[in-house]
Amino acid sequence: MQSTARRFKQNAHEAMADAPLQKALGNIKHGFIQKRRKAAARLPEFEALRDQAREIKNHTLAHLDFYLERFEQKVVDNGGTVHWCRTAEDARRAILSVCRLVGAKTVTKGKTMIGEEIGINDFLAEHGITPVETDLGEYIIQLRNETPSHIIAPAIHVNKEQVAEAFRKEHTHLEPGRLLDDPPQLLAEARQEMRDKFLAADVGITGANFLIAETGSSVIVTNEGNGDLTQTLPRVHIVLASLEKVVPTLEDASTILRVLARSATGQEFSVYTTFSTGARRADDLDGPEQYHVVLLDNGRSDMIGTEFQEMLRCIRCGACLNHCPVYGAVGGHAYGWVYSGPMGAVLTPSLIGIGEAGHLPNASSFCGRCEEVCPMRIPLPKMMRHWREREFERQIRPTVARTGLRLWAFMVRRPWLYRRLTGFAVHMLASWAHGGARLQRLPMAKGWTAYREFPVPEGSTFVDQWRAHQRQILEEELA
Amino acid sequence: MTTRGEIFARIRAGIGRDDALDDEKARELIDRLESPKRNLVPARSDLDRTRLVDLFVSMAEEAAATVQRVSHAGAIPRAVVSYLARHNLPMRVTMAPDSSLDRIPWKLEPMLALRQGKADPADEVSLTAAFAGIAESGTLMVISGAHHPSTLNLLPDSHMVVLHENQIVGAYEDGWDLLRRAQGDGEKRLPRTVLFVTGPSRSADIEQTIQMGAHGPRRLHILLVADYVGQGRQAS
Ligand code: SF4
């Protein structure tokens, strides 16, 4: 996906002036926030489960190579295939080649943020394969040619009139005068339209909330059931997942699932939680004939062992977005890429580079609510600060360097000033060294002297010495 | 280096370890996988049987499923017919080819047309048997297999599920134990899908307003039978 993260300030400005968007963002408060609070309060073990969820992921990340190998082995034992992909391009190619092998014309898709990350829809379309989003929110934004503005509610920025407009434009075979005033009518139409697409698709692509090393299973969580239809009806099921999704056992996944739904929507459990293990069995009556896992790195392995490793615990529940005053004010699109809110502000620079996403870690009031609600206890504000520091250093270096050069250029064009100042500097440096030959600390150059000593100039500047030398030659010649 | 090798090299560089784990550590982690331990299980479902069943019912209803309690399997045909009549549904049901459903005395309701097999897109009502009920959240644990086509859980508008009271367990972990036991030593793989269903399909994607029946069933009706079946039999 193309990033507009560089334009964050401008994006944010526009978002604040966007009245329909502001109205839509208002829904978050009455929905997600209250529901999460109630669900958390109702389970006395909620806080303890968060601790365990964090430990499970920490343990997994500390032995990520081991668990990935075990996961792969199990997938292969179950008759499936794992495609290892370093980059978005690798993943796009892997998916395309599976689609081509079965001569796919249409592909249905469950909601997958990794799919957005690698821009799979455009890529498939460019290669003559029609991608169909099946999650209602994703379908709406696909019709509107937009990207998701929330990781679990992709169309949260769209109001029902806009949905109706998109449906009328797309579903031209239906009666133009039909009523599309309220959500039930809209949902019924989407359901009807989608039915045929589910049945016609050759390949179904889903994401994964978890990959289970113990069994080689992939897990999806949905409320609509679209993900299950996507992975059941076509001949081929492709799971598109990033490599930090792996957890050791079914028990571990169950523990994290207990905090996932509660944090995301305030539900006790999502409607459909499905553990898929391989393709259809010999005597099964339905299900796909092939099971592929496209396993994407795309910058994640580089986060391991850094101050951003903890971000890999993220289970994409969206709680940090819902509770973020900045997200609440500007919405998801302002962040300019797939991931928004506090988790996006930390993750996006890791995945597409701080040069591109340098503004995002500043999109925070450091109120700390994100960390308070994050089920995986990810220290989001701390990591945003890490990025700010890095970005500050990155910005500061060229500036200091530029200013220094400009100053030097100014002075060499004014030799008298240059001589005076350098003469003064030599004198100062020599006096700081208290007669020694090397300086261990230099004001305003700590970055340099922290690792090396600065040689003390010997008495006079080059210009002075050269002058003296010239004078000496002249005197010798005259003598 | 292969892409796979490159990814592993990077991960190991990050972890600060040159190669795979040493044998001792690997053994420890393999044990963790082969004899999985439970993490904290909420006390909520730590109840006697009667209360456990009540918890299942109230949680399932909270998730917008409907639950009808019947005393024995012989009462199921009547319950099915009256449910269909109540919702103006056709007297046509597609049923999972499962022996426990076969044994129900369907002849008691001659008006009811039953077909066995996977779901057809035109099917309006399906009837399946659950593997277990999870009281903690009112969830049905459903597995796929020759006798349990997964499309029956997803395609029809109305999904009816037969669950016996003694199939109700407290937590998800109890469900996993039941499944591992039912599979025995022979089958090492999980069934193709293990599906946890908590209420009927829904979406809140339009203006954060919950609408029932997004892509999966609009209605989920649980027929909860008081008499017993052998636990975990459906896994075979
Ligand atoms: S950072 Fe935490 S709160 Fe935010 S999406 Fe990830 S897991 Fe949820």
Side-chain angles (χ1 to χ4, degrees), chain A residues 266-281:
Chain A
Q267 284 168 287
E268 288 284 319
F269 217 47
S270 301
V271 177
Y272 301 105
T273 300
T274 314
F275 291 69
S276 302
T277 311
R280 153 195 313 217
R281 307 291 153 78

Side-chain angles (χ1 to χ4, degrees), chain A residues 36 40 45-56 255-256 258-259 263 313 369-378, chain B residues 40:
Chain A
R36 179 207 167 268
E45 294 89 349
F46 189 70
E47 295 303 316
L49 286 167
R50 287 173 67 188
D51 291 337
Q52 292 203 338
R54 175 188 55 198
E55 290 319 311
I56 291 167
T255 298
I256 303 178
R258 283 196 180 94
V259 296
S263 302
R313 289 203 302 265
R369 280 162 82 191
C370 49
E371 185 175 357
E372 266 164 47
V373 298
C374 173
M376 307 307 288
R377 298 203 192 280
I378 298 171
Chain B
L40 174 68

Side-chain angles (χ1 to χ4, degrees), chain B:
Chain B
M1 202 189 275
T2 61
T3 306
R4 183 185 183 281
E6 217 179 295
I7 292 173
F8 275 90
R10 276 165 186 268
I11 292 174
R12 287 177 183 144
I15 293 175
R17 173 159 42 71
D18 291 341
D19 217 333
L21 290 169
D22 62 57
D23 287 353
E24 194 185 331
K25 187 72 193 170
R27 194 61 251 166
E28 184 190 320
L29 296 189
I30 289 168
D31 282 348
R32 193 187 187 290
L33 291 180
E34 287 178 351
S35 358
K37 293 234 163 33
R38 290 178 176 208
N39 304 303
L40 174 68
V41 174
R44 177 194 283 179
S45 62
D46 193 2
L47 299 167
D48 63 39
R49 182 131 292 275
T50 315
R51 294 231 210 97
L52 195 67
V53 172
D54 290 345
L55 176 65
F56 174 84
V57 173
S58 68
M59 293 307 288
E61 286 176 344
E62 194 185 297
T66 47
V67 183
Q68 185 173 359
R69 300 179 76 153
V70 297
S71 58
H72 60 290
I76 292 174
R78 183 83 278 234
V80 168
V81 165
S82 60
Y83 181 81
L84 296 176
R86 208 159 51 243
H87 291 92
N88 260 329
L89 293 165
M91 292 289 152
R92 258 195 324 278
V93 172
T94 309
M95 188 169 87
D98 176 281
S99 56
S100 74
L101 298 177
D102 278 345
R103 279 199 298 274
I104 294 168
W106 295 110
K107 283 205 267 321
L108 294 174
E109 293 296 337
M111 295 297 288
L112 191 64
L114 289 175
R115 180 178 76 79
Q116 285 190 315
K118 63 175 181 171
D120 187 86
D123 290 345
E124 286 184 62
V125 186
S126 62
L127 181 82
T128 66
F131 175 74
I134 313 286
E136 169 174 7
S137 49
T139 300
L140 293 167
M141 184 176 180
V142 171
I143 58 175
S144 66
H147 309 294
H148 301 92
S150 45
T151 43
L152 288 177
N153 308 315
L154 304 167
L155 273 177
D157 240 28
S158 301
H159 182 202
M160 306 175 91
V161 184
V162 175
L163 178 73
H164 291 257
E165 281 186 12
N166 71 321
Q167 291 179 291
I168 294 178
V169 295
Y172 313 115
E173 287 81 351
D174 299 321
W176 292 124
D177 281 352
L178 213 56
L179 182 57
R180 288 187 183 116
R181 227 178 304 137
Q183 285 194 294
D185 290 335
E187 177 64 71
K188 288 284 177 218
R189 290 185 296 186
L190 285 182
R192 186 184 73 79
T193 62
V194 178
L195 170 62
F196 291 89
V197 186
T198 313
S201 157
R202 71 202 63 184
S203 172
D205 274 343
I206 300 173
E207 297 197 346
Q208 294 288 289
T209 326
I210 291 176
Q211 306 294 319
M212 305 310 284
H215 294 294
R218 231 180 281 263
R219 299 188 194 89
L220 177 67
H221 189 59
I222 301 169
L223 296 156
L224 185 57
V225 190
D227 68 0
Y228 277 40
V229 291
Q231 272 197 344
R233 189 182 26 72
Q234 289 91 337
S236 54

Side-chain angles (χ1 to χ4, degrees), chain A residues 376-393:
Chain A
M376 307 307 288
R377 298 203 192 280
I378 298 171
L380 294 154
K382 187 179 94 188
M383 288 193 285
M384 276 186 259
R385 260 192 298 270
H386 283 318
W387 274 128
R388 280 196 189 189
E389 280 160 17
R390 280 208 194 177
E391 176 60 359
F392 182 72
E393 279 173 23

Side-chain angles (χ1 to χ4, degrees), chain A residues 151 311 314-320 343 370 373-376 378 380:
Chain A
I151 50 178
M311 195 60 221
C314 175
I315 52 173
R316 310 286 188 266
C317 72
C320 59
M343 58 81 69
C370 49
V373 298
C374 173
M376 307 307 288
I378 298 171
L380 294 154

